[in-house]
Amino acid sequence: MKYTKLPHTDIEVSKICLGTMTWGKQNTEEEGHEQMDYALEQGVNFFDTAELYPVPAHPDRYAHTEKIIGTWFKKTGNRDKVVLASKIAGRAEFTKFIRTTGFTRESIISAVEGSLERLQTDYIDLYQLHWPDRNTNYFGQRGYTPSATDYWEDNIHQVLETLRDLIREGKIRQVGLSNETPWGTMRYLEESKVHASLPRMSTIQNPYSLLNRLFEVGNAEVSHREKIGLLAYSPLGFGVLSGKYLGDRKPDNARITLFPNYSRYSGETAVAATQKYYELAQANDLSLAQMSLAFVNSRPFLTSNIVGATSVKQLQENIASIDVELTDEILQKIEAIHGEIPNPAP
Protein backbone atom coordinates (compact mmCIF):
# COMPACT_ATOMS: atom_id res chain seq x y z
CA MET A 1 0.00 0.00 0.00
CA LYS A 2 1.04 3.59 -0.55
CA TYR A 3 0.34 6.34 1.94
CA THR A 4 -0.01 10.08 2.06
CA LYS A 5 -1.20 12.56 4.66
CA LEU A 6 -4.39 14.53 4.95
CA PRO A 7 -3.20 18.00 3.85
CA HIS A 8 -2.07 20.32 6.64
CA THR A 9 -2.17 17.45 9.16
CA ASP A 10 0.05 14.64 10.41
CA ILE A 11 -2.69 12.05 9.79
CA GLU A 12 -1.34 9.33 7.48
CA VAL A 13 -3.88 7.69 5.17
CA SER A 14 -3.72 4.98 2.53
CA LYS A 15 -4.04 6.19 -1.06
CA ILE A 16 -6.83 3.64 -1.41
CA CYS A 17 -9.80 4.45 0.81
CA LEU A 18 -12.53 1.92 1.56
CA GLY A 19 -15.94 3.19 0.46
CA THR A 20 -18.95 1.83 2.32
CA MET A 21 -22.17 3.14 0.79
CA THR A 22 -23.55 -0.28 -0.22
CA TRP A 23 -23.42 -1.77 3.27
CA GLY A 24 -26.89 -2.21 4.68
CA LYS A 25 -28.55 -2.32 1.26
CA GLN A 26 -26.56 -4.32 -1.30
CA ASN A 27 -24.29 -5.79 1.38
CA THR A 28 -25.11 -7.40 4.70
CA GLU A 29 -23.43 -6.60 8.01
CA GLU A 30 -21.36 -9.78 7.70
CA GLU A 31 -20.16 -8.78 4.23
CA GLY A 32 -19.28 -5.29 5.42
CA HIS A 33 -17.23 -6.78 8.25
CA GLU A 34 -15.49 -9.11 5.78
CA GLN A 35 -14.57 -6.18 3.54
CA MET A 36 -13.15 -4.19 6.45
CA ASP A 37 -11.12 -7.19 7.60
CA TYR A 38 -9.66 -7.67 4.14
CA ALA A 39 -8.97 -3.98 3.51
CA LEU A 40 -7.12 -3.59 6.79
CA GLU A 41 -5.03 -6.69 6.03
CA GLN A 42 -4.01 -5.06 2.74
CA GLY A 43 -2.85 -1.88 4.44
CA VAL A 44 -5.97 0.20 3.80
CA ASN A 45 -6.33 2.32 6.94
CA PHE A 46 -8.79 4.93 5.61
CA PHE A 47 -12.57 4.24 5.65
CA ASP A 48 -15.20 6.67 4.35
CA THR A 49 -18.87 6.64 5.30
CA ALA A 50 -21.81 9.02 5.82
CA GLU A 51 -24.95 9.28 7.90
CA LEU A 52 -26.88 9.07 4.60
CA TYR A 53 -25.55 5.59 3.71
CA PRO A 54 -26.59 3.17 2.40
CA VAL A 55 -27.83 4.68 -0.82
CA PRO A 56 -30.40 5.06 -2.20
CA ALA A 57 -31.39 6.83 0.99
CA HIS A 58 -34.49 5.51 2.74
CA PRO A 59 -35.91 6.09 6.24
CA ASP A 60 -35.98 2.36 6.99
CA ARG A 61 -32.24 2.06 6.37
CA TYR A 62 -31.06 5.42 7.63
CA ALA A 63 -27.43 5.24 8.85
CA HIS A 64 -27.27 1.43 8.69
CA THR A 65 -23.79 1.69 7.18
CA GLU A 66 -22.45 3.57 10.19
CA LYS A 67 -24.03 0.97 12.46
CA ILE A 68 -22.25 -1.83 10.58
CA ILE A 69 -18.90 -0.07 11.02
CA GLY A 70 -19.70 0.44 14.69
CA THR A 71 -20.36 -3.25 15.32
CA TRP A 72 -17.08 -4.09 13.56
CA PHE A 73 -15.18 -1.67 15.80
CA LYS A 74 -16.79 -3.23 18.85
CA LYS A 75 -16.10 -6.79 17.67
CA THR A 76 -12.49 -6.28 16.56
CA GLY A 77 -11.21 -3.42 18.71
CA ASN A 78 -9.64 -1.96 15.56
CA ARG A 79 -10.77 1.64 15.97
CA ASP A 80 -7.21 2.86 16.57
CA LYS A 81 -6.04 1.25 13.30
CA VAL A 82 -8.48 3.22 11.13
CA VAL A 83 -8.66 6.82 9.95
CA LEU A 84 -12.42 7.28 9.88
CA ALA A 85 -14.29 9.78 7.73
CA SER A 86 -18.01 10.52 7.82
CA LYS A 87 -20.38 13.23 6.58
CA ILE A 88 -23.44 15.26 7.46
CA ALA A 89 -26.22 15.14 4.87
CA GLY A 90 -27.22 18.44 3.32
CA ARG A 91 -30.66 19.78 2.58
CA ALA A 92 -32.51 17.90 -0.16
CA GLU A 93 -35.90 16.37 -0.91
CA PHE A 94 -34.49 12.91 -0.25
CA THR A 95 -33.09 13.85 3.18
CA LYS A 96 -36.18 15.42 4.72
CA PHE A 97 -36.64 12.32 6.88
CA ILE A 98 -33.28 13.18 8.48
CA ARG A 99 -33.60 16.94 8.98
CA THR A 100 -34.69 20.03 7.07
CA THR A 101 -32.80 22.81 8.80
CA GLY A 102 -29.56 22.78 6.79
CA PHE A 103 -26.15 23.26 8.38
CA THR A 104 -27.30 25.04 11.51
CA ARG A 105 -25.29 24.65 14.71
CA GLU A 106 -28.00 22.41 16.12
CA SER A 107 -28.04 20.20 13.01
CA ILE A 108 -24.27 19.74 12.84
CA ILE A 109 -23.96 18.89 16.54
CA SER A 110 -26.90 16.48 16.32
CA ALA A 111 -25.43 14.81 13.22
CA VAL A 112 -21.99 14.36 14.77
CA GLU A 113 -23.35 12.98 18.03
CA GLY A 114 -25.62 10.59 16.14
CA SER A 115 -22.73 9.33 14.03
CA LEU A 116 -20.50 8.86 17.07
CA GLU A 117 -23.15 6.76 18.77
CA ARG A 118 -23.76 4.56 15.72
CA LEU A 119 -20.04 4.20 14.95
CA GLN A 120 -19.36 3.29 18.58
CA THR A 121 -16.43 5.68 18.78
CA ASP A 122 -15.51 8.84 20.67
CA TYR A 123 -14.19 10.73 17.64
CA ILE A 124 -14.32 11.02 13.85
CA ASP A 125 -10.99 11.74 12.15
CA LEU A 126 -12.39 13.63 9.14
CA TYR A 127 -15.87 15.16 9.19
CA GLN A 128 -17.24 16.36 5.86
CA LEU A 129 -20.15 18.43 4.57
CA HIS A 130 -21.74 15.95 2.15
CA TRP A 131 -22.89 18.62 -0.30
CA PRO A 132 -23.40 22.41 -0.16
CA ASP A 133 -26.19 23.95 1.87
CA ARG A 134 -26.90 26.32 -1.02
CA ASN A 135 -28.37 25.59 -4.45
CA THR A 136 -25.50 24.99 -6.86
CA ASN A 137 -24.32 22.52 -9.47
CA TYR A 138 -23.42 19.18 -7.91
CA PHE A 139 -24.59 15.56 -8.34
CA GLY A 140 -24.33 15.45 -12.13
CA GLN A 141 -25.18 19.06 -12.98
CA ARG A 142 -22.63 20.46 -15.41
CA GLY A 143 -23.44 24.13 -15.32
CA TYR A 144 -24.60 26.56 -12.66
CA THR A 145 -27.98 28.24 -13.09
CA PRO A 146 -29.15 30.71 -10.41
CA SER A 147 -32.31 29.50 -8.72
CA ALA A 148 -35.23 31.65 -7.66
CA THR A 149 -35.84 29.20 -4.79
CA ASP A 150 -32.35 29.54 -3.32
CA TYR A 151 -32.99 31.16 0.05
CA TRP A 152 -29.52 30.37 1.37
CA GLU A 153 -27.92 33.03 3.52
CA ASP A 154 -24.15 32.88 3.89
CA ASN A 155 -23.61 30.77 7.02
CA ILE A 156 -20.06 29.59 6.30
CA HIS A 157 -18.56 31.41 9.27
CA GLN A 158 -21.14 29.88 11.60
CA VAL A 159 -20.57 26.40 10.13
CA LEU A 160 -16.83 26.68 10.74
CA GLU A 161 -17.41 27.99 14.26
CA THR A 162 -19.50 24.93 15.06
CA LEU A 163 -16.92 22.57 13.57
CA ARG A 164 -14.20 24.37 15.55
CA ASP A 165 -16.09 23.80 18.78
CA LEU A 166 -16.52 20.10 17.98
CA ILE A 167 -12.79 19.85 17.33
CA ARG A 168 -12.08 21.49 20.68
CA GLU A 169 -14.38 18.96 22.35
CA GLY A 170 -12.42 16.12 20.71
CA LYS A 171 -15.42 14.79 18.77
CA ILE A 172 -13.85 15.42 15.36
CA ARG A 173 -10.23 15.96 14.35
CA GLN A 174 -10.27 17.50 10.86
CA VAL A 175 -12.88 18.82 8.43
CA GLY A 176 -13.53 18.54 4.72
CA LEU A 177 -15.92 19.33 1.90
CA SER A 178 -17.78 17.13 -0.57
CA ASN A 179 -19.50 17.77 -3.91
CA GLU A 180 -18.20 21.31 -3.70
CA THR A 181 -17.49 23.89 -6.40
CA PRO A 182 -14.37 26.07 -6.76
CA TRP A 183 -16.32 29.06 -5.41
CA GLY A 184 -17.49 27.19 -2.35
CA THR A 185 -14.09 25.68 -1.70
CA MET A 186 -12.36 29.05 -1.83
CA ARG A 187 -15.09 30.65 0.29
CA TYR A 188 -14.43 28.18 3.11
CA LEU A 189 -10.67 28.50 2.77
CA GLU A 190 -10.72 32.29 2.77
CA GLU A 191 -12.96 32.38 5.85
CA SER A 192 -10.45 30.30 7.80
CA LYS A 193 -7.58 32.48 6.54
CA VAL A 194 -9.24 35.68 7.71
CA HIS A 195 -10.31 34.16 11.05
CA ALA A 196 -7.37 32.19 12.39
CA SER A 197 -9.40 30.43 15.08
CA LEU A 198 -11.56 28.68 12.50
CA PRO A 199 -10.60 25.22 11.15
CA ARG A 200 -9.23 24.86 7.64
CA MET A 201 -10.82 22.46 5.18
CA SER A 202 -8.32 19.68 4.51
CA THR A 203 -10.00 17.70 1.72
CA ILE A 204 -12.68 17.83 -0.94
CA GLN A 205 -14.56 14.65 -1.86
CA ASN A 206 -15.79 14.98 -5.43
CA PRO A 207 -16.44 12.58 -8.32
CA TYR A 208 -13.42 11.85 -10.48
CA SER A 209 -12.87 9.16 -13.09
CA LEU A 210 -12.00 8.59 -16.74
CA LEU A 211 -15.63 9.49 -17.52
CA ASN A 212 -15.75 12.59 -15.34
CA ARG A 213 -12.63 14.74 -15.06
CA LEU A 214 -14.50 17.95 -14.33
CA PHE A 215 -12.50 18.34 -11.12
CA GLU A 216 -9.66 19.42 -13.39
CA VAL A 217 -11.67 22.50 -14.41
CA GLY A 218 -11.19 24.93 -11.54
CA ASN A 219 -10.90 22.66 -8.54
CA ALA A 220 -7.56 21.13 -9.59
CA GLU A 221 -5.87 24.54 -9.46
CA VAL A 222 -7.50 25.26 -6.10
CA SER A 223 -6.24 21.88 -4.89
CA HIS A 224 -2.70 22.61 -6.07
CA ARG A 225 -2.37 26.17 -4.83
CA GLU A 226 -4.30 25.78 -1.58
CA LYS A 227 -3.14 22.24 -0.77
CA ILE A 228 -6.62 20.81 -0.34
CA GLY A 229 -6.61 17.14 -1.30
CA LEU A 230 -9.07 15.32 -3.53
CA LEU A 231 -10.83 12.27 -2.14
CA ALA A 232 -12.02 10.83 -5.45
CA TYR A 233 -15.38 9.08 -5.34
CA SER A 234 -17.03 7.02 -8.08
CA PRO A 235 -13.61 6.32 -9.68
CA LEU A 236 -15.32 3.48 -11.57
CA GLY A 237 -18.48 5.44 -12.38
CA PHE A 238 -21.00 3.25 -10.51
CA GLY A 239 -19.07 0.23 -11.82
CA VAL A 240 -19.39 1.25 -15.47
CA LEU A 241 -15.59 1.41 -15.77
CA SER A 242 -15.32 -2.24 -14.81
CA GLY A 243 -16.76 -2.97 -18.26
CA LYS A 244 -19.45 -5.20 -16.79
CA TYR A 245 -22.30 -3.28 -18.43
CA LEU A 246 -20.82 -3.25 -21.94
CA GLY A 247 -22.94 -5.02 -24.55
CA ASP A 248 -26.11 -4.00 -22.69
CA ARG A 249 -25.39 -6.53 -19.96
CA LYS A 250 -27.22 -6.23 -16.65
CA PRO A 251 -25.31 -8.23 -14.01
CA ASP A 252 -27.24 -9.46 -10.97
CA ASN A 253 -26.99 -7.25 -7.87
CA ALA A 254 -25.07 -4.58 -9.80
CA ARG A 255 -25.87 -0.99 -8.88
CA ILE A 256 -27.30 0.15 -12.21
CA THR A 257 -29.23 -3.12 -12.63
CA LEU A 258 -30.87 -2.59 -9.25
CA PHE A 259 -31.26 1.19 -9.57
CA PRO A 260 -31.60 2.08 -13.27
CA ASN A 261 -32.24 5.73 -12.40
CA TYR A 262 -28.54 5.93 -11.51
CA SER A 263 -27.79 6.64 -15.15
CA ARG A 264 -25.15 9.35 -14.74
CA TYR A 265 -22.42 7.21 -16.32
CA SER A 266 -24.59 5.27 -18.76
CA GLY A 267 -25.39 7.74 -21.52
CA GLU A 268 -24.56 7.03 -25.15
CA THR A 269 -21.30 8.99 -25.16
CA ALA A 270 -20.23 7.52 -21.82
CA VAL A 271 -20.75 4.01 -23.18
CA ALA A 272 -18.74 4.91 -26.30
CA ALA A 273 -15.89 6.26 -24.19
CA THR A 274 -16.01 3.21 -21.90
CA GLN A 275 -15.68 0.93 -24.92
CA LYS A 276 -12.57 2.80 -26.07
CA TYR A 277 -11.01 2.66 -22.61
CA TYR A 278 -11.86 -1.05 -22.43
CA GLU A 279 -10.08 -1.74 -25.71
CA LEU A 280 -7.05 0.24 -24.54
CA ALA A 281 -6.88 -1.75 -21.31
CA GLN A 282 -7.22 -5.06 -23.14
CA ALA A 283 -4.45 -4.12 -25.58
CA ASN A 284 -2.14 -3.60 -22.60
CA ASP A 285 -3.09 -6.73 -20.63
CA LEU A 286 -4.92 -4.71 -17.99
CA SER A 287 -8.43 -4.98 -16.68
CA LEU A 288 -10.49 -1.88 -17.39
CA ALA A 289 -11.13 -1.47 -13.65
CA GLN A 290 -7.45 -1.52 -12.74
CA MET A 291 -6.47 0.85 -15.55
CA SER A 292 -9.24 3.24 -14.53
CA LEU A 293 -8.25 3.18 -10.87
CA ALA A 294 -4.53 3.41 -11.64
CA PHE A 295 -5.23 6.55 -13.65
CA VAL A 296 -6.97 8.16 -10.67
CA ASN A 297 -4.20 6.98 -8.33
CA SER A 298 -1.63 8.77 -10.52
CA ARG A 299 -3.18 12.24 -10.33
CA PRO A 300 -1.04 14.85 -8.53
CA PHE A 301 -4.03 16.36 -6.69
CA LEU A 302 -5.20 13.03 -5.26
CA THR A 303 -5.06 12.37 -1.54
CA SER A 304 -7.01 9.10 -1.63
CA ASN A 305 -9.09 7.08 -4.08
CA ILE A 306 -12.37 5.83 -2.60
CA VAL A 307 -13.15 2.34 -3.88
CA GLY A 308 -16.34 0.47 -3.13
CA ALA A 309 -17.30 -3.10 -3.85
CA THR A 310 -20.15 -5.52 -3.33
CA SER A 311 -17.81 -8.52 -3.01
CA VAL A 312 -14.36 -9.20 -1.64
CA LYS A 313 -13.33 -10.38 -5.11
CA GLN A 314 -14.09 -6.93 -6.53
CA LEU A 315 -12.35 -5.32 -3.57
CA GLN A 316 -9.21 -7.40 -4.16
CA GLU A 317 -8.93 -6.12 -7.73
CA ASN A 318 -9.65 -2.54 -6.72
CA ILE A 319 -7.10 -2.42 -3.92
CA ALA A 320 -4.47 -4.11 -6.10
CA SER A 321 -4.70 -1.14 -8.50
CA ILE A 322 -2.28 0.69 -6.20
CA ASP A 323 0.50 -1.48 -7.65
CA VAL A 324 -0.40 -0.75 -11.29
CA GLU A 325 1.84 1.83 -12.96
CA LEU A 326 0.57 3.18 -16.27
CA THR A 327 3.19 3.81 -18.92
CA ASP A 328 3.57 7.16 -20.63
CA GLU A 329 2.21 5.54 -23.78
CA ILE A 330 -0.98 4.40 -22.04
CA LEU A 331 -1.42 7.81 -20.43
CA GLN A 332 -1.03 9.49 -23.82
CA LYS A 333 -3.66 7.20 -25.32
CA ILE A 334 -5.99 7.94 -22.41
CA GLU A 335 -5.56 11.64 -23.17
CA ALA A 336 -6.35 10.98 -26.84
CA ILE A 337 -9.63 9.29 -25.92
CA HIS A 338 -10.42 12.07 -23.48
CA GLY A 339 -9.76 14.63 -26.21
CA GLU A 340 -12.14 12.81 -28.53
CA ILE A 341 -14.89 12.26 -25.92
CA PRO A 342 -14.24 14.66 -23.03
CA ASN A 343 -16.15 14.21 -19.78
CA PRO A 344 -19.11 12.23 -21.16
CA ALA A 345 -20.56 11.90 -17.66
CA PRO A 346 -21.32 15.09 -15.65
Side-chain angles (χ1 to χ4, degrees):
M1 184 49 60
K2 297 175 183 177
Y3 299 88
T4 185
K5 289 185 177 178
L6 295 181
H8 305 279
T9 82
D10 60 358
I11 300 174
E12 188 174 71
V13 295
S14 49
K15 290 199 75 172
I16 297 292
C17 175
L18 181 62
T20 64
M21 73 176 184
T22 61
W23 303 351
K25 181 68 173 178
Q26 289 174 261
N27 288 106
T28 64
E29 178 181 49
E30 181 181 4
E31 290 168 341
H33 286 195
E34 184 182 17
Q35 288 192 31
M36 286 184 278
D37 288 338
Y38 179 78
L40 197 61
E41 289 169 3
Q42 301 306 306
V44 174
N45 74 337
F46 193 19
F47 296 179
D48 178 72
T49 192
E51 65 167 338
L52 186 70
Y53 296 166
V55 291
H58 191 276
D60 292 345
R61 294 185 180 273
Y62 168 60
H64 275 210
T65 304
E66 288 188 325
K67 293 175 184 177
I68 288 171
I69 296 171
T71 58
W72 183 79
F73 282 150
K74 183 177 181 180
K75 179 179 76 173
T76 64
N78 282 336
R79 175 65 186 93
D80 62 342
K81 298 178 182 178
V82 172
V83 178
L84 178 64
S86 194
K87 315 177 196 74
I88 178 176
R91 279 187 290 188
E93 285 298 317
F94 58 88
T95 62
K96 284 186 175 180
F97 65 88
I98 303 175
R99 67 182 67 85
T100 59
T101 53
F103 295 154
T104 64
R105 181 178 180 84
E106 179 183 26
S107 291
I108 295 171
I109 292 172
S110 173
V112 168
E113 291 179 345
S115 288
L116 290 173
E117 181 178 357
R118 291 185 293 268
L119 290 163
Q120 301 194 48
T121 184
D122 296 325
Y123 66 97
I124 296 168
D125 296 285
L126 177 67
Y127 198 66
Q128 305 153 98
L129 309 178
H130 207 156
W131 59 87
D133 214 13
R134 63 194 191 278
N135 288 341
T136 188
N137 52 316
Y138 56 85
F139 287 152
Q141 302 175 61
R142 286 186 183 275
Y144 171 69
T145 302
S147 171
T149 61
D150 184 4
Y151 301 113
W152 177 73
E153 294 183 5
D154 193 326
N155 63 344
I156 287 174
H157 187 92
Q158 290 75 24
V159 169
L160 289 172
E161 280 187 327
T162 303
L163 294 172
R164 176 200 62 198
D165 293 345
L166 288 163
I167 290 171
R168 289 175 174 173
E169 292 174 19
K171 294 179 179 179
I172 60 178
R173 296 178 68 193
Q174 301 293 333
V175 291
L177 299 166
S178 183
N179 295 295
E180 190 53 274
T181 66
W183 182 88
T185 304
M186 287 304 304
R187 180 69 185 81
Y188 275 98
L189 292 174
E190 289 300 314
E191 194 70 24
S192 60
K193 287 179 184 178
V194 172
H195 303 279
S197 70
L198 298 180
R200 188 187 196 285
M201 292 297 179
S202 176
T203 56
I204 174 172
Q205 183 176 150
N206 275 25
Y208 186 79
S209 70
L210 288 175
L211 298 178
N212 180 344
R213 293 170 57 177
L214 292 172
F215 187 85
E216 296 173 9
V217 184
N219 267 323
E221 183 179 11
V222 173
S223 175
H224 169 70
R225 298 192 185 280
E226 301 293 332
K227 303 297 184 287
I228 181 169
L230 172 65
L231 306 181
Y233 81 78
S234 287
L236 292 179
F238 296 160
V240 168
L241 284 167
S242 69
K244 64 185 177 183
Y245 298 106
L246 288 174
D248 293 325
R249 286 177 293 185
K250 295 181 179 179
D252 292 341
N253 199 38
R255 174 158 291 274
I256 298 174
T257 304
L258 294 172
F259 315 114
N261 58 310
Y262 282 33
S263 58
R264 180 173 179 177
Y265 300 94
S266 303
E268 184 177 340
T269 53
V271 172
T274 300
Q275 182 66 43
K276 289 180 178 292
Y277 289 125
Y278 173 77
E279 292 168 2
L280 175 60
Q282 290 290 294
N284 289 275
D285 297 320
L286 294 168
S287 74
L288 175 56
Q290 287 203 328
M291 185 184 81
S292 301
L293 293 171
F295 174 78
V296 176
N297 294 340
S298 72
R299 299 301 87 189
F301 42 74
L302 182 81
T303 290
S304 194
N305 187 0
I306 304 173
V307 302
T310 52
S311 71
V312 170
K313 183 178 179 180
Q314 289 176 347
L315 189 59
Q316 290 171 342
E317 180 179 21
N318 292 348
I319 292 175
S321 71
I322 197 66
D323 297 318
V324 177
E325 297 287 340
L326 300 181
T327 65
D328 289 343
E329 181 181 4
I330 294 174
L331 290 170
Q332 289 168 6
K333 289 181 177 179
I334 285 174
E335 291 304 321
I337 296 170
H338 180 62
E340 182 182 349
I341 313 177
N343 296 315

